[in-house]
């Protein structure tokens, strides 16, 4: 989503026409985001404010992927959550109990209000045997003022204190991508992944066996591509260049 359809809250030129062309063609698609802060309904409203019509059911977040993973692993379990409504809602929807009393998991997600008290509680629960899950490994997130510490950075703090590494569910874990492909009834040979980051989107799509398209409307510059030992299938300036390919 960020860097592909919108950039700092503004639509990428051509993104509205690209989404319209996808809908008109009858092709199934999902908009993915590693940000676990918001629910799909929240994100649909934010996209609509940017002039992009994407229904909530077409949005797949790391919070939803995390909830599905936990539901598969330990149905009806419990978790201590450090995160926002996007994550707590997803866990409630699968029947999880959110508690700080001997939970099965500590689940770490994105939030702008990390507190010393929350992090301390998470550390002590993990020391007492709770399994450590994080929605995504992104160390920083963007803002108009500059970089903000994100889930990966706080996870590193907890790992340093406990010696326990989390299992990251979101990108670049290809499981999130494969789940999205299954949801749209696709398979790797006929599905493309469009992203703006080599280190999450492209590697995730590649490991899921998809055709990968890098757009240059986000964080990556063309000259940075050569730093990586893998390459996208296609590089374009923006999704506007893909409209006629739909």
């Amino acid at each position: 989503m960020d860097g592909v359809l919108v950039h700092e809250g503004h639509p990428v030129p051509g993104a509205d026409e690209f989404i319209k062309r996808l809908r008109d063609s009858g092709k199934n698609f999902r908009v993915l985001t590693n940000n676990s802060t918001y629910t799909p309904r929240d994100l649909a409203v934010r996209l609509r404010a940017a002039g992009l019509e994407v229904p909530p059911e077409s949005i797949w977040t790391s919070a939803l992927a995390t909830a599905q993973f936990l539901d598969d692993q330990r149905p009806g379990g419990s978790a201590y959550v450090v995160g926002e409504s996007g994550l707590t809602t997803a866990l409630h929807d699968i029947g999880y109990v959110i508690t700080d009393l001997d939970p099965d998991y500590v689940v770490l997600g994105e939030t702008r209000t990390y507190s010393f008290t929350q992090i301390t509680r998470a550390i002590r629960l993990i020391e007492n045997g709770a399994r450590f899950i994080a929605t995504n490994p992104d160390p920083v997130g963007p803002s108009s003022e500059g970089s903000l510490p994100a889930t990966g950075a706080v996870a590193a703090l907890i790992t340093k204190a406990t010696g326990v590494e989390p299992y990251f569910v979101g990108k670049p874990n290809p499981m999130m991508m494969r789940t999205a492909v299954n949801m749209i009834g696709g398979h790797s040979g006929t599905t493309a992944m469009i992203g703006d980051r080599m280190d999450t989107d492209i590697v995730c799509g590649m490991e899921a066996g998809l055709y990968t398209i890098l757009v240059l409307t986000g964080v990556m510059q063309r000259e940075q591509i050569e730093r990586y030992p893998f390459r996208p299938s296609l590089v374009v300036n923006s999704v506007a260049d893909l409209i006629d390919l739909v």
Side-chain angles (χ1 to χ4, degrees), residues 168-180:
F168 292 107
V169 177
K171 301 176 295 179
N173 188 337
M175 182 174 63
M176 181 177 177
M177 197 73 70
R178 291 193 190 107
T179 305

Side-chain angles (χ1 to χ4, degrees), residues 39-40 59 69 75 90 96 101 128 138 141 182 188 190 207 209 216 218 220 225 235:
T39 67
I59 298 173
F69 172 77
Y96 255 56
L101 300 175
N128 289 333
D138 302 55
N182 292 337
S188 59
T190 57
E207 291 181 356
L216 303 176
M220 295 297 303
I225 299 171
V235 180

Side-chain angles (χ1 to χ4, degrees), residues 11-228:
V12 169
D16 54 345
E17 179 60 26
F18 177 70
I19 292 293
K20 183 178 184 299
R21 186 69 64 88
L22 282 177
R23 288 201 310 266
D24 291 348
S25 72
K27 287 181 169 58
N28 292 323
F29 68 94
R30 285 292 183 276
V31 175
L32 273 63
T33 177
N34 253 3
N35 193 321
S36 64
T37 305
Y38 304 105
T39 67
R41 185 179 298 178
D42 296 333
L43 291 171
V45 171
R46 293 168 74 88
L47 287 170
R48 188 175 301 118
L52 303 176
E53 287 295 331
V54 179
E57 57 270 21
S58 293
I59 298 173
W60 186 239
T61 72
S62 64
L64 294 175
T66 299
Q68 180 167 316
F69 172 77
L70 293 180
D71 193 34
D72 291 340
Q73 293 292 311
R74 191 176 291 265
S78 60
Y80 177 70
V81 178
V82 180
E84 298 289 344
S85 61
L87 183 55
T88 56
T89 299
L91 292 175
H92 275 143
D93 285 348
I94 62 165
Y96 255 56
V97 173
I98 296 177
T99 179
D100 65 350
L101 300 175
D102 193 27
D104 297 315
Y105 296 95
V106 166
V107 182
L108 176 67
E110 211 73 65
T111 176
R112 297 288 177 90
T113 57
Y114 290 115
S115 75
F116 184 79
T117 301
Q118 282 183 312
I119 293 171
T120 300
R121 186 62 178 151
I123 288 169
R124 291 173 180 169
L125 290 170
I126 292 168
E127 287 177 335
N128 289 333
R131 302 154 189 85
F132 188 17
I133 299 288
T135 57
N136 64 287
D138 302 55
V140 295
S143 77
S144 56
E145 294 84 21
S147 295
L148 296 171
T151 307
V154 180
L157 185 159
I158 295 173
T159 294
K160 188 70 172 179
T162 62
V164 177
E165 296 276 353
Y167 180 71
F168 292 107
V169 177
K171 301 176 295 179
N173 188 337
M175 182 174 63
M176 181 177 177
M177 197 73 70
R178 291 193 190 107
T179 305
V181 171
N182 292 337
M183 292 170 68
I184 61 174
H187 57 83
S188 59
T190 57
T191 304
M193 192 289 309
I194 307 166
D196 74 311
R197 296 185 66 108
M198 290 288 289
D199 56 348
T200 54
D201 301 326
I202 299 302
V203 70
C204 184
M206 179 190 69
E207 291 181 356
L210 310 183
Y211 186 87
T212 57
I213 302 171
L214 179 73
V215 295
L216 303 176
T217 47
V219 298
M220 295 297 303
Q221 303 299 317
R222 191 178 293 271
E223 58 271 17
Q224 294 175 297
I225 299 171
E226 293 301 326
R227 296 181 185 177
Y228 294 86

